[in-house]
DNA sequence: ATGATGTTGTTTCCTAGTCAACTAAATTCG
DNA sequence: CGAATTTAGTTGACTAGGAAACAACATCAT
């Protein structure tokens, strides 16, 4: 037993490699979105609204793993851009309902194409088996640990 | 050819699952670090300095994938906490050299233990084979795409 | 050696989040 | 019913980063 345990290096953690790849994927996507005047958070919000008639900010906050404050400001920006509309909830004087404008609805498929492209190009180096493997493993972690939203930070 | 292509959902992208898991790992680690008064960026900087006598802020910026401005402020916080010391570079009047203080050097193994624990607990659900697989796949992406730093954003 | 160019680190301004306090409205319960 | 509590959304103070301008110094080409 000659060696004391040595302080582990950054890259000895699986989390390190995960963060490296994940941040590059998100970053690449963010750069692609920039060209269309959108951010990742904006894309996610728009996509969430896409297959629903309308949604309350609070629900979006839960689904997106952001605070209500953040959603409030995000919605401000998107209404400013005329991509999202705020309407009063007829059943609850406090509540709002966010929905896509026509322009917003038209933008979603365009951004979805960028997302597809980004994902495809990033994982193009992998074999079909590798892609299936990594997805299965990630899903397993999500299920086992009961992860439900994506914390932004 | 009955069906038009449908707008892809968020979770149809590998990047989605990657981000979900990666953000949870980082977030969990951040919460653990909080109890020790440190942030993830601080941990990374301290760990980078750990196996080197001293390093210029610019080098750290490259290695950490952050701007020099960000490193400047990060170094401010760490010197404020007496974990890092700034010294003039004798060979270059512009340059500085950052190094760990005794307290900083003592803190690193403590935080490394947290990192180990966080990583282990997070991937505990996986089999050894799954862990080996995901690491190999992530490393392959890093190599193939020539990723060298971790963009923070 | 000197003038152009490049590099180092800091600083200012901006962005997009968090957190906590707040207002108004809804709900619960005694 | 009416008071206490909960919920919805906004706001303000704060944080950690990026981008770009900057001053000081170094390097390089003549």
């Amino acid at each position: 037993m000659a060696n004391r345990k040595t302080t582990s290096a950054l890259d000895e953690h699986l989390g390190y490699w995960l963060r490296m790849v994940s941040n590059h994927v998100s970053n690449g996507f963010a750069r692609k979105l920039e060209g269309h005047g959108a951010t990742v958070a904006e894309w996610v919000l728009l996509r969430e609204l896409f297959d629903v008639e309308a949604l309350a900010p609070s629900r979006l906050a839960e689904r997106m793993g952001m605070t209500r404050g953040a959603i409030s400001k995000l919605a401000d920006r998107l209404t400013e851009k005329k991509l999202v509309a705020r309407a009063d909830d007829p059943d609850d004087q406090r509540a709002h309902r966010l929905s896509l404008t026509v322009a917003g609805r038209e933008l979603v498929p365009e951004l979805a194409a960028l997302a597809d492209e980004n994902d495809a190009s990033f994982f193009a180096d992998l074999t079909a088996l590798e892609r299936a493997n990594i997805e299965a493993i990630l899903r397993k972690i999500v299920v086992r640990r009961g992860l439900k939203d994506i914390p932004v930070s």
Side-chain angles (χ1 to χ4, degrees), chain A residues 49-94:
Chain A
L49 288 185
F50 187 73
D51 28 41
V52 107
E53 79 295 356
L55 207 53
S58 300
R59 301 300 130 258
L60 281 166
E62 291 164 5
R63 307 206 69 200
M64 296 176 63
M66 291 170 66
T67 61
R68 285 173 330 207
I71 297 291
S72 188
K73 293 163 190 167
L74 186 48
D76 280 351
R77 282 173 248 143
L78 286 166
T79 55
E80 190 67 29
K81 292 186 189 177
K82 310 288 188 204
L83 297 173
V84 162
R86 252 187 258 252
D88 292 344
D89 183 329
D91 303 340
D92 185 335
Q93 297 302 111
R94 301 165 302 180

Side-chain angles (χ1 to χ4, degrees), chain A residues 13-34:
Chain A
H13 299 111
L14 215 35
Y16 171 89
W17 298 101
L18 213 48
R19 200 156 65 90
M20 169 99 88
V21 174
S22 176
N23 285 1
H24 271 280
V25 173
S26 292
N27 234 32
F29 186 39
R31 252 179 273 115
K32 285 205 175 83
L33 284 173
E34 241 175 70

Side-chain angles (χ1 to χ4, degrees), chain A residues 1-13:
Chain A
M1 200 174 290
N3 280 329
R4 280 277 291 101
K5 195 199 158 304
T6 179
T7 301
S8 57
L10 293 168
D11 65 7
E12 285 173 26
H13 299 111

